[in-house]
Amino acid sequence: DLFPIEDGHAQERSGLDAVIETIEAGDLWIADRNFCTLKFLYAIARKCGRLVIRLHDKMKGEQLGSRRYCGKTASGRVYEYQLKLTEYEGHTLIVRCIELELYNPTRDDERTLRILTNLTEDEADAMQVAETYRGRWRIETAFQKLTTTLKCEVNTLCYPKAAIFAFSMACLAYNAVSL
């Protein structure tokens, strides 16, 4: 699905209500920290979806139990613990929090990535969750390629609908070529 927002300066969260409407049971939602809102996390859980979403610094919760070491990936050491999220609309949600202590900091000098998931350990262990989240960067790279290689960004501020149309066509072309 593509959820275009005409305001090029709008934050992704402004379009989450439209995204929430499309959640179906069994869906796996992999997203960066800008999508880590109580409303979105609880909506996914309520609709029996699955999530692998990076924890936003402003998201609060209570750590349950101790953190345990799970192993190493190419990026760093992996740890896991349970996190009880802040109550939302009368409900509480307990998720697994996977911490990836990076060997090399991110470009923003972050040394630890925290990833929330409601996948059970039978569905994906901590190492698989960390690698799944890392795979999200392929999508980020795809968007960069769409913007530069396919020249899908219309160089004008006057016609947002034209820019959305061009980007949508670039996404269609990228998906066709990827297949």
Side-chain angles (χ1 to χ4, degrees):
D1 293 322
L2 182 70
F3 300 93
I5 299 171
E6 281 189 38
D7 181 355
H9 301 287
Q11 214 263 0
E12 294 104 342
R13 290 181 181 193
S14 66
L16 272 181
D17 286 343
V19 175
I20 288 170
E21 290 178 25
T22 69
I23 297 170
E24 293 184 14
D27 283 353
L28 174 60
W29 291 83
I30 304 170
D32 72 12
R33 60 185 158 201
N34 286 324
F35 292 90
C36 188
T37 68
L38 290 175
K39 183 176 184 178
F40 192 51
L41 298 177
Y42 277 81
I44 293 170
R46 185 179 66 250
K47 294 185 176 194
C48 299
R50 295 288 189 237
L51 59 93
V52 173
I53 298 178
R54 185 169 171 193
L55 181 66
H56 194 284
D57 291 340
K58 293 185 180 179
M59 175 72 65
K60 301 299 176 204
E62 174 188 346
Q63 181 174 332
L64 303 175
S66 58
R67 183 175 90 144
R68 69 176 177 87
Y69 177 73
C70 299
K72 297 178 184 176
T73 69
S75 305
R77 291 179 194 81
V78 179
Y79 299 85
E80 177 179 0
Y81 58 88
Q82 287 193 321
L83 185 69
K84 180 180 176 183
L85 298 178
T86 304
E87 184 178 313
Y88 181 75
E89 294 184 339
H91 299 280
T92 58
L93 183 61
I94 297 174
V95 295
R96 294 165 58 206
C97 183
I98 312 302
E99 287 188 349
L100 178 58
E101 288 186 355
L102 300 169
Y103 297 132
N104 300 305
T106 66
R107 64 177 177 241
D108 296 326
D109 202 36
E110 296 166 306
R111 299 185 185 278
T112 303
L113 301 181
R114 290 174 181 81
I115 305 156
L116 303 181
T117 187
N118 63 350
L119 291 167
T120 66
E121 283 207 49
D122 289 339
E123 293 170 317
D125 64 27
M127 306 293 284
Q128 291 170 315
V129 171
E131 287 300 312
T132 298
Y133 182 78
R134 258 181 34 114
R136 186 188 70 79
W137 284 103
R138 287 186 300 234
I139 298 167
E140 298 285 340
T141 302
F143 282 119
Q144 180 63 30
K145 286 180 182 177
L146 287 173
T147 301
T148 57
T149 308
L150 299 177
K151 302 196 185 327
C152 65
E153 191 171 302
V154 176
N155 191 16
T156 178
L157 296 175
C158 300
Y159 304 104
K161 285 182 175 38
I164 288 172
F165 178 73
F167 184 76
S168 299
M169 297 311 303
C171 285
L172 178 67
Y174 185 86
N175 283 335
V177 170
S178 294
L179 287 174

